[in-house]
Amino acid sequence: MVSRFFLNIVLVVLIAQNSATAQPGNNIDPFHYSSRKKVECTHGAVVSAHPLASDIGVEILKEGGNAFDAAIATQFALAVVYPAAGNIGGGGFMVARTAEGKNVAIDFREKAPGKASRDMYLDANGNAQPDRSQNGHLSTGVPGSVAGIFKELLFAKLPLKKLIQPAIDLAENGFAVTEPQARSLNSEQGEFRKYNTELPVFVREKPWKKGDTLVQKDLAQTLIRIRENGLAGFYQGETAKLIIDEMQRGNGIITGADLLSYQAIDREAVNSTYRNVYMVITMPLPSSGGVLLPLMLNMVEEQPLTNYGYGSLKSVHLMTEVERLAYADRAKYLGDKDYYEVPISTLTSRRYAKERMKLFDPDKAGTSEKIQSGSIPAESKQTTHFETYDQDGNAVSITTTLNNSYGSKTVVGGAGFFLNDEMDDFSIKPGVPNMYGAVGGDANAIAPGKRMLSSMTPTIVLKGGKPFLIVGTPGGTTITTSVFQTVLDIIDFGLTPQDAVNKPKFHHQWLPDEIIMERDFNPAIIEQLKHMGYKIRLTSEIGRTEVIEILSGNRITAVGDKRGEDTAAGY
Ligand code: GLY
């Protein structure tokens, strides 16, 4: 079936390289496209990790959809064109502000299967086996993304069939993979062969190269079942059967009952003020961002950051120590609050922040107690963030993930989508670092039905009660510190959205006791930090931050991160 969506677009003369199918494309040509980093506009905007997904979102806005419609179409499209992180086999969070001034938070985080248990990743000697929590069938939490989309739909104007169709067409007819995608698919061939019971379309003999067409027929059929049957098209019937069969072939533990009982949850959005001017709306637990972002903002609120300036020794030192303090609390206190009593109101109170800041020495580097340490991967592209804004003033901020790149690396045979490896976000053993080097304890221990702690921090900042910034990023544990820094960069340091996105970032998470800094950070400051006693680890990149800034008169600036193929689109 060819959608009206694509029929509205004039047929092109260009025939895609390596493609037998002539693809429609005036505004959107799945075989010829490129990323665009910044757009200034007044009607609406979308930023996401892939040009095709951003463009589809904006087409939906132009066709009368609101920011929720655009977000849903973008989310489905990412599941096709950005398989490393876009997904229907993972989970995530949505934070939104409606044009009527209502805050919305939807939790579609994965949950532990009913047969999960606290020590399921320990061997007979009690040693943690991260390979099993990070790869293959056993690493998968019950997926939440599709349930999340159906909750998002309650705020949409257009029917599901219109919003999902561009994704179906892209899966059915294919799209041209980009150079980084070809490289990424090639680097994972061995893993894909190892963790799949049936070889998926991503595996092939000759290496992928830029411009090759990726066709995903099985995924198209899964999306069609969702279009035809709604939630039951994923959590019941043929798709559920394919997931259960896959689990049985690969010794996974997700059952039909797990799928049937999965529910996305409406949460109360976190709402905290900053410098008495801004209202910061973000995601509550199981997103750690909902505790850590207010905590860190409270800790710096009385500090003269504007005087210090972006990237100065004083500001980096202060922000590093604030991050260290916050992440020490993360390890101890944070987990799914439906299963563990988390002292949220204390942690997010100004009094507590003040108390914690007594530990800050403006002249000296702090030290983290050396209990356990782990290393954080240099690159963290496994999660993806996207955001939309429309002319009525609806703002949507969504971060979604498979956890690692391509999640568990397992594709559901016959259904064509990757399953997450989100179980590794639990603390598989107290004090043992997960793949991001984050440690945890009882608060984030595995229990059946429990949701694993996340760092995803989709955020909206209001000024005068209206959306001012929409911000978020992938990047594992660096997510919350990148959102924190981006907010300060714009509000306190006066950076443009483009500079706030692209200028170098840094990260401290208590353990391991080091500052991770992007390589292009000012070398003189790095030397001075070392001199203060900090251990510095340089990395190529931190996150992929997306920002939409809205100024008076609906002047919109949307920025996609230079670090990836992220694209800002708008009109
Ligand atoms: N899996 C990354 C996160 O949720 O923080």
Side-chain angles (χ1 to χ4, degrees), residues 369-377 431-439 477 507 509-514 516 535 537:
E369 205 182 329
K370 288 190 170 51
I371 302 166
Q372 289 282 343
S373 65
S375 63
I376 298 173
V432 170
N434 70 6
M435 75 170 79
Y436 305 105
V439 292
T477 44
H507 170 76
Q509 61 175 43
W510 181 54
L511 290 177
D513 191 351
E514 61 186 11
I516 302 169
K535 189 172 162 222
R537 185 151 66 83

Side-chain angles (χ1 to χ4, degrees), residues 162-473:
K162 183 165 185 67
L163 305 176
I164 198 172
Q165 195 59 44
I168 293 173
D169 293 342
L170 284 166
E172 182 67 32
N173 302 323
F175 68 99
V177 300
T178 63
E179 167 76 41
Q181 283 185 314
R183 235 182 301 122
S184 159
L185 287 169
N186 289 335
S187 74
E188 300 284 356
Q189 291 295 303
E191 303 276 285
F192 292 161
R193 286 178 193 277
K194 185 169 172 192
Y195 295 111
N196 280 285
T197 57
E198 293 175 4
L199 287 188
V201 291
F202 308 98
V203 173
R204 64 180 210 180
E205 287 307 322
K206 67 176 189 188
W208 289 94
K209 61 180 187 341
K210 178 183 175 188
D212 284 348
T213 300
L214 176 58
V215 175
Q216 300 170 81
K217 298 273 184 200
D218 287 345
L219 177 57
Q221 288 307 309
T222 300
L223 294 170
I224 288 169
R225 286 192 290 275
I226 295 169
R227 183 189 69 195
E228 298 305 314
N229 305 313
L231 266 180
F234 185 85
Y235 292 99
Q236 297 176 48
E238 178 67 7
T239 312
K241 181 181 173 305
L242 291 168
I243 296 172
I244 296 159
D245 289 350
E246 183 61 56
M247 285 289 136
Q248 284 168 357
R249 283 196 300 276
N251 297 321
I253 56 173
I254 294 177
T255 62
D258 288 326
L259 293 170
L260 199 57
S261 65
Y262 184 87
Q263 292 204 327
I265 300 174
D266 294 307
R267 304 272 185 196
E268 197 174 324
V270 172
N271 207 344
S272 67
T273 56
Y274 182 58
R275 296 195 187 278
N276 292 322
V277 174
Y278 303 95
M279 186 69 79
V280 179
I281 305 165
T282 193
M283 191 70 211
L285 288 168
S287 159
S288 56
V291 174
L292 299 190
L293 186 60
L295 171 58
M296 292 192 290
L297 289 172
N298 287 345
M299 285 196 272
V300 298
E301 198 173 36
E302 290 180 4
Q303 303 290 328
L305 275 168
T306 308
N307 297 346
Y308 293 169
Y310 165 82
S312 66
L313 183 65
K314 282 190 166 185
S315 65
V316 176
H317 170 52
L318 168 68
M319 289 157 73
T320 296
E321 292 307 323
V322 161
E323 292 174 8
R324 182 204 305 276
L325 289 165
Y327 276 70
D329 286 337
R330 181 192 199 275
K332 176 147 188 203
Y333 297 115
L334 301 193
D336 183 346
K337 67 181 168 54
D338 296 341
Y339 284 71
Y340 189 88
E341 206 170 317
V342 181
I344 301 173
S345 53
T346 304
L347 290 166
T348 54
S349 70
R350 286 194 161 71
R351 213 170 107 195
Y352 180 77
K354 243 188 174 121
E355 205 47 46
R356 291 293 270 165
M357 282 306 280
K358 288 183 183 160
L359 299 171
F360 171 64
D361 183 336
D363 301 314
K364 251 176 67 194
T367 51
S368 304
E369 205 182 329
K370 288 190 170 51
I371 302 166
Q372 289 282 343
S373 65
S375 63
I376 298 173
E379 297 191 14
S380 305
K381 301 190 289 271
Q382 58 295 324
T383 298
T384 191
H385 176 82
F386 57 99
E387 52 202 35
T388 59
Y389 183 72
D390 68 31
Q391 56 189 340
D392 296 330
N394 293 295
V396 178
S397 185
I398 297 180
T399 315
T400 179
T401 187
L402 289 167
N403 199 20
N404 210 349
S405 277
Y406 307 100
S408 62
K409 328 276 189 205
T410 299
V411 174
V412 177
F417 60 89
F418 281 101
L419 290 166
N420 67 82
D421 62 332
E422 221 70 63
M423 292 297 283
D424 192 62
D425 269 348
F426 279 117
S427 170
I428 63 169
K429 183 179 178 181
V432 170
N434 70 6
M435 75 170 79
Y436 305 105
V439 292
D442 281 352
N444 192 31
I446 303 171
K450 187 174 173 182
R451 295 178 187 219
M452 54 296 280
L453 186 63
S454 172
S455 297
M456 294 185 282
T457 311
T459 296
I460 297 169
V461 179
L462 307 182
K463 192 176 176 184
K466 301 270 181 226
F468 164 54
L469 296 175
I470 311 173
V471 57
T473 179

